Each structure stands twice: as structure tokens, then as C-alpha cells.
């Protein structure tokens, strides 16, 4: 059966339920920038928290960092971004639009009869030229070239320039990692496909510093670990693959790069990159800053520049993948339902408490249940509309459990617990809800959409 998820349906659901919508909408929107509403914030926060959990809580060899978005301009000279962070671009003299020259076959031509830019007349493409993707701005009140700074195009360089600081206070020695989550900015020539490619986005990057001879084994380790992270959070394994770069795709300093790819509705596309970056970054920053960026092992008396393994993921792209993987449409009792079968740990709301009617003491009991649960899990109270409509709303948000307070509740202090995935309903005593739901949320979960092996 074809997957129910299409990009249009995901975009529509995100808008309808307040996950993600176009930014500056009242002014007609600003190309490819998006705002996250309540459920979108909760979902993306859960994605980032799961990443932090895997990096920090479940290991003891990684520390956290939050570096500034604006960095000394020399950072970008040393990293190579100022000279080389470019994409090939062409202009069309006929329609005045700009396109990424290496993506022409994936882009629609805004003017007929061409399907893709440059296919046929009247398209009139210029020669390809390099376009630097960094956003430039000026720092301070004087606008001259000395005040030019850049919005960071990746979070990684903030980690490299802090290598020495972290080494001093963290009491770590290689192999160890520094992890960072934060906004990055790229003036993409052709952004698009919703939050897949935007000009402002969030990255989750970790630089793992290792003794040079251990780099190959840690590269293998992180490729496996990152694939497992996605499948543990419910992404279907048949929609996920690891693609090793061909030698001609590699940056000159990388001895290995692999992309975690997900089968998005737009086809297989990069979700995350894992690279063996050698000693390139620390060597460059040492040269440009004049600081020694190396490790001295007091036991072996060895001094060396650690090599770096980097898993670099996008928080927005991962959120989109989880949404696409979860989106489903089903027929239930002759009615269509749209449901997000998200891993319960990622679901924006864990439990909704719904009084059947807005009287007879039911709202009061429902509020009492909310008060007992909200310290443990994201809980929502909803009393508007028919119960059917409220279930559909929670299904579209991906809420794993709905608790219904009804007449019987007032007699025996039990509620109906409705499961999102199976639609099974069972009565549970109010006093047992906190323990029962906490245990069920912690249980392992597999996407019901996963085709049986
Ligand atoms: P792409 O080839 O798609 O442009 P990239 O290889 O340049 O991506 P990296 O520099 O490796 O990407 O960045 C790491 C991750 O950051 C990507 O795998 C992706 O998840 C995310 N990312 C990069 N650019 C964007 C963007 N413009 N919008 C949203 N996420 C992005």
C-alpha cells in the first residue's frame, strides 16, 4: 500500500493543527521561513531533548556547549567557509529567477513550456558562478568592511574554537566529544520542500575528538549509533539508509563521509551527515589564531592534534522526517481518520483528559486528573466539541492516550483509556493513572506502519 504521507498533506496538517506555519504570514510570508506553533515547539523540543539525552545523559564522554551565533570573522577564514562555502548558481535572463545549477533537474521551471529551468526556449541561463551561502551583517554602529560579521552557517566551528577552553575545565581526554544545538543560517539559492531546506534552521552537531589511530573505529561507531538513534525513536528501518560518499564527493580533508538518508515524500534525501574530518579543523584554527590546539597525554608524554568524527544533524529536518514517518490515514467505523503515529517519547502531548459532558461534576474530576498527571507528562485538558471530534484532534496531534471521564467515573473513579494506535479502550482507576501511564510511555514502541519483515 502506498504511504499516506505526501508533502502537501503534512504541510496542511501542520498548519491546521498549529505545528508549523509560514513566517510573517500577515505580510504575505517571507520565502521559506517558518514559525513553529505550540505543538511544533513541543515536538521539535522533544527531538532535541532526545538528541541531548543520547549525547549527554546516556554517555559520560561528551560535554555540552552553547556558542555565539556571531563569531570572529577569522573563524570563517580558517574554516574555509569564506572562500569555499559556495553553491553553483545560474540566473535565467528570461524569467529573472535564480537556480542552483546542480539541482536543475529537480527544480520546476516557473515559465512554460520547460519542465525544468533551461530545458527549452525562452529559458536563457547564464554561465554557472559560485555564490557564497553565508549571511553577512555589520557589527556595531559603523558600517564599514572592518565591521563585517557572518551569521554562522554551522554550529561546528563554535565547538572547534572552544576546544582549548573545554579541555581545560571538562577534565576529559580524547576520545571525548563536545555537543551543541542551535540556529544556523545559510542563504540557500533554492530553499524549499517545507522545513527540509530553509535559510534559518537548527542543527544538532557533535565533534568527537579522538587519538588519530582510533579515528576509523570511532567513525564506524558513530555511523551505527546515529542510525540506531533514529530507529529507536520509531523511524521505520525500511525508510532509512546509510549512504557512504563516493571518493569524488568527499571534501579534501575528509577520509570518510556517510549520509543518513530518509525516504521523504520527495524521495531519498539527507537527514544527517557523519564525517571523519581528520585534524583539519583544529590545525586550521591553530594556524589562524596562533593558539596551540592539541592534546598532551601526560602518561605517554605524547603530544598530538586529535582527529574529529562529526555527526551533524538538522533538528527541523529530523522533525519533518518524524512527521512524515508518523502520518497515516485510516478508515475507522466507516470514517476517515488522520493520525500521527509518533513515538510516545516524541509526541507533543502525552495524554489528553476529556470530560464526556461539560456538567455533572465531570469537568472537575477531569481537572483533578490533569493536576495529578501534569508534573510527570505533557497533559492537555479539552472539553469543547463532541467526543468524536476531540479524539480526531488528539489523533492528528499524535497524543498516545486519551482519558475520558464519564458518568461511571463519578461512581467508581475509573476512566476510559483510549490508545491512539490500536484504538483499544480499557477502564483504569484514577489513582493508578500516574504509574500506569508513566510505565506505558517508557515501554518500547515500534511504528505500526512498519511493514512486517
Ligand atoms: P544539503 O546537502 O542538504 O545542503 P549539507 O550536506 O550541506 O546538506 P551539512 O552541512 O552536513 O548539510 O549539515 C548537517 C545537517 O544540517 C544536514 O544533514 C541537515 O539535516 C541540516 N541542514 C543543512 N542545511 C539545511 C537547511 N538549509 N535547512 C534545514 N536543515 C539543513
Amino acid at each position: 500500500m502506498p504511504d499516506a504521507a505526501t508533502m502537501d498533506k503534512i504541510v496542511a496538517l501542520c498548519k491546521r493543527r498549529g505545528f508549523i506555519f509560514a513566517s510573517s504570514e500577515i505580510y504575505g510570508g517571507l520565502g521559506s521561513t517558518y514559525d513553529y506553533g505550540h505543538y511544533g515547539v513541543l515536538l521539535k523540543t522533544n527531538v532535541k531533548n532526545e538528541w541531548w539525552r543520547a549525547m549527554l545523559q546516556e554517555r559520560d564522554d561528551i560535554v555540552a556547549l552553547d556558542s555565539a551565533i556571531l563569531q570572529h570573522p577569522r573563524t570563517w577564514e580558517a574554516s574555509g567557509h569564506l572562500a569555499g562555502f559556495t553553491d553553483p548558481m545560474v540566473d535565467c535572463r528570461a524569467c529573472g529567477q535564480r537556480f542552483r545549477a546542480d539541482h536543475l533537474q529537480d527544480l520546476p521551471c516557473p515559465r512554460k513550456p520547460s519542465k525544468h529551468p533551461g530545458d527549452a526556449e525562452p529559458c536563457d541561463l547564464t554561465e554557472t558562478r559560485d555564490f557564497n551561502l553565508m549571511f553577512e551583517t555589520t557589527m556595531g554602529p559603523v558600517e564599514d568592511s572592518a565591521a563585517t560579521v557572518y551569521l554562522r552557517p554551522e554550529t561546528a566551528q563554535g565547538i572547534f574554537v572552544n576546544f582549548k577552553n573545554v579541555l581545560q575545565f571538562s577534565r576529559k581526554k580524547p576520545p571525548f566529544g563536545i555537543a551543541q544545538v542551535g540556529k544556523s543560517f545559510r542563504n540557500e539559492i533554492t530553499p524549499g520542500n517545507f522545513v527540509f531546506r530553509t535559510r534559518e534552521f537548527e542543527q544538532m552537531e557533535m565533534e568527537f575528538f579522538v587519538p588519530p589511530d582510533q579515528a576509523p573505529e570511532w567513525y564506524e561507531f558513530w555511523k551505527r549509533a546515529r542510525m540506531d538513534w533514529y530507529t529507536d525513536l520509531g523511524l521505520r528501518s525500511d525508510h532509512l539508509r546509510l549512504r557512504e560518499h563516493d571518493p569524488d564527493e568527499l571534501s579534501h580533508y575528509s577520509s570518510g563521509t556517510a549520509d543518513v538518508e530518509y525516504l521523504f515524500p520527495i524521495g531519498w534525501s539527507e537527514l544527517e551527515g557523519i564525517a571523519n574530518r581528520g585534524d583539519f579543523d583544529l590545525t586550521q584554527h591553530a594556524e589562524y589564531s596562533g593558539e596551540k590546539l592539541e592534546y598532551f597525554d601526560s602518561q605517554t608524554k605524547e603530544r598530538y592534534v586529535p582527529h574529529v568524527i562529526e555527526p551533524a544533524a538538522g533538528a527541523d529536518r529530523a522533525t519533518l522526517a518524524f512527521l512524515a514517518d508518523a502520518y497515516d490515514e485510516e478508515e475507522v467505523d466507516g470514517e476517515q481518520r488522520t493520525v500521527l503515529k509518533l513515538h510516545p517519547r516524541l509526541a507533543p502531548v502525552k495524554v489528553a483528559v476529556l470530560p464526556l459532558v461539560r456538567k455533572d461534576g465531570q469537568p472537575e474530576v477531569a481537572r483533578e486528573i490533569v493536576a495529578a498527571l501534569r508534573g510527570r507528562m505533557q497533559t492537555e485538558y479539552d472539553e469543547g466539541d463532541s467526543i468524536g471530534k476531540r479524539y480526531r484532534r488528539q489523533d492528528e496531534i499524535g497524543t498516545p492516550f486519551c482519558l475520558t471521564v464519564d458518568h461511571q467515573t463519578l461512581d467508581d473513579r475509573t476512566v476510559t483509556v483510549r490508545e491512539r494506535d490500536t484504538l483499544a479502550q480499557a477502564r483504569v482507576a484514577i489513582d493508578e493513572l500516574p504509574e500506569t501511564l508513566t510505565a506505558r510511555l517508557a515501554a518500547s514502541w515500534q511504528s505500526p506502519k512498519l511493514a512486517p519483515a
Side-chain angles (χ1 to χ4, degrees):
M1 211 168 61
D3 199 314
T6 66
M7 205 57 118
D8 286 347
K9 287 180 183 172
I10 294 166
V11 173
L13 175 100
C14 283
K15 187 172 161 72
R16 184 163 77 243
R17 293 299 178 195
F19 279 83
I20 306 170
F21 26 84
S23 177
S24 317
E25 225 171 10
I26 61 166
Y27 292 106
L30 176 68
S32 293
T33 54
Y34 293 92
D35 295 342
Y36 283 70
H38 181 65
Y39 298 119
V41 172
L42 289 172
L43 174 60
K44 186 157 73 144
T45 301
N46 290 344
V47 170
K48 289 184 286 183
N49 285 345
E50 287 298 332
W51 188 87
W52 279 125
R53 181 216 291 266
M55 292 295 164
L56 302 182
Q57 199 176 320
E58 289 173 0
R59 307 182 61 88
D60 51 19
D61 54 2
I62 300 179
V63 295
L65 179 78
D66 185 4
S67 70
I69 285 172
L70 299 175
Q71 285 160 225
H72 196 289
R74 292 278 283 170
T75 308
W76 310 112
E77 278 178 50
S79 68
H81 283 82
L82 207 52
F85 192 53
T86 54
D87 274 340
M89 176 179 79
V90 288
D91 287 295
C92 179
R93 295 184 192 93
C95 69
Q97 299 271 339
R98 298 209 142 145
F99 307 100
R100 221 171 114 171
D102 55 340
H103 285 182
L104 289 179
Q105 285 315 303
D106 304 324
L107 298 169
C109 178
R111 237 194 199 188
K112 288 196 170 65
S114 292
K115 201 161 165 221
H116 306 294
D119 277 356
E121 283 191 355
C123 293
D124 182 10
L125 301 184
T126 60
E127 289 291 301
T128 302
R129 52 194 201 287
D130 285 336
F131 174 76
N132 195 301
L133 301 184
M134 283 203 293
F135 276 99
E136 237 178 77
T137 186
T138 45
M139 193 147 181
V142 187
E143 271 196 41
D144 65 30
S145 61
T148 300
V149 290
Y150 303 91
L151 303 189
R152 67 178 177 200
E154 61 174 35
T155 59
Q157 299 304 323
I159 296 178
F160 297 127
V161 300
N162 276 296
F163 174 76
K164 209 173 161 185
N165 279 337
V166 175
L167 203 56
Q168 262 162 20
F169 73 73
S170 67
R171 304 179 63 214
K172 299 279 182 228
K173 54 180 279 194
F176 82 102
I178 307 177
Q180 161 148 246
V181 173
K183 285 257 165 123
S184 293
F185 302 82
R186 295 182 188 177
N187 203 358
E188 301 275 3
I189 300 165
T190 35
N193 289 316
F194 200 33
V195 293
F196 180 85
R197 188 182 301 286
T198 51
R199 295 189 170 112
E200 174 180 347
F201 53 97
E202 264 186 296
Q203 289 189 304
M204 310 185 286
E205 295 193 296
M206 195 274 291
E207 309 303 321
F208 203 70
F209 300 94
V210 301
D213 61 339
Q214 292 181 21
E217 72 192 79
W218 280 108
Y219 175 55
E220 294 306 316
F221 173 88
W222 281 109
K223 282 190 292 187
R224 263 195 321 274
R226 295 306 302 149
M227 287 290 281
D228 289 348
W229 185 81
Y230 290 103
T231 49
D232 286 350
L233 286 171
L235 274 202
R236 289 168 290 172
S237 46
D238 58 0
H239 278 55
L240 206 60
R241 72 181 183 196
L242 193 70
R243 188 184 68 82
E244 204 77 47
H245 281 206
D246 293 333
D248 61 345
E249 279 181 274
L250 293 177
S251 340
H252 60 94
Y253 51 82
S254 174
S255 58
T257 299
D259 287 345
V260 176
E261 294 188 334
Y262 177 72
L263 185 53
F264 284 93
I266 51 170
W268 286 102
S269 311
E270 175 182 333
L271 194 50
E272 166 162 356
I274 298 139
N276 181 347
R277 302 177 63 97
D279 63 3
F280 175 76
D281 307 277
L282 290 181
T283 306
Q284 285 291 106
H285 285 298
E287 190 187 320
Y288 278 72
S289 67
E291 292 277 346
K292 278 205 172 103
L293 300 179
E294 51 191 27
Y295 178 73
F296 177 66
D297 189 327
S298 52
Q299 272 167 352
T300 62
K301 308 285 177 229
E302 239 189 309
R303 190 178 288 283
Y304 62 87
V305 179
H307 282 208
V308 170
I309 310 299
E310 173 195 77
D316 309 87
R317 225 178 254 190
T319 300
L320 181 62
F322 286 118
L323 279 168
D325 210 67
Y327 184 96
D328 210 1
E329 290 169 351
E330 291 171 346
E331 205 179 288
V332 180
D333 300 332
E335 274 195 46
Q336 180 91 355
R337 84 159 176 158
T338 301
V339 53
L340 286 186
K341 293 174 175 166
L342 286 165
H343 192 294
R345 287 222 302 268
L346 293 180
V349 175
K350 311 299 179 199
V351 54
V353 187
L354 319 170
L356 194 60
V357 292
R358 232 185 296 183
K359 56 183 186 183
D360 301 338
Q362 290 184 18
E364 288 75 7
V365 180
R367 294 247 183 232
E368 182 198 319
I369 295 171
V370 170
L373 293 178
R374 65 162 35 130
R376 295 186 183 226
M377 59 196 78
Q378 190 71 35
T379 308
E380 189 168 282
Y381 173 82
D382 187 7
E383 63 173 24
D385 290 322
S386 70
I387 191 73
K389 268 197 181 157
R390 280 181 279 162
Y391 282 153
R392 273 199 292 284
R393 188 176 124 78
Q394 295 300 334
D395 283 343
E396 291 202 354
I397 295 164
T399 307
F401 301 108
C402 284
L403 312 184
T404 313
V405 173
D406 55 18
H407 306 293
Q408 194 183 328
T409 309
L410 280 298
D411 294 336
D412 65 4
R413 287 190 60 80
T414 65
V415 294
T416 304
V417 178
R418 172 190 182 267
E419 278 186 21
R420 176 197 68 198
D421 297 340
T422 60
L423 293 172
Q425 302 205 4
R427 288 206 80 92
V428 177
I430 290 177
D431 293 344
E432 286 169 17
L433 285 172
E435 292 305 324
T436 305
L437 292 175
T438 304
R440 286 172 77 174
L441 287 170
S444 69
W445 180 92
Q446 207 184 36
S447 172
K449 288 175 73 184
L450 187 66

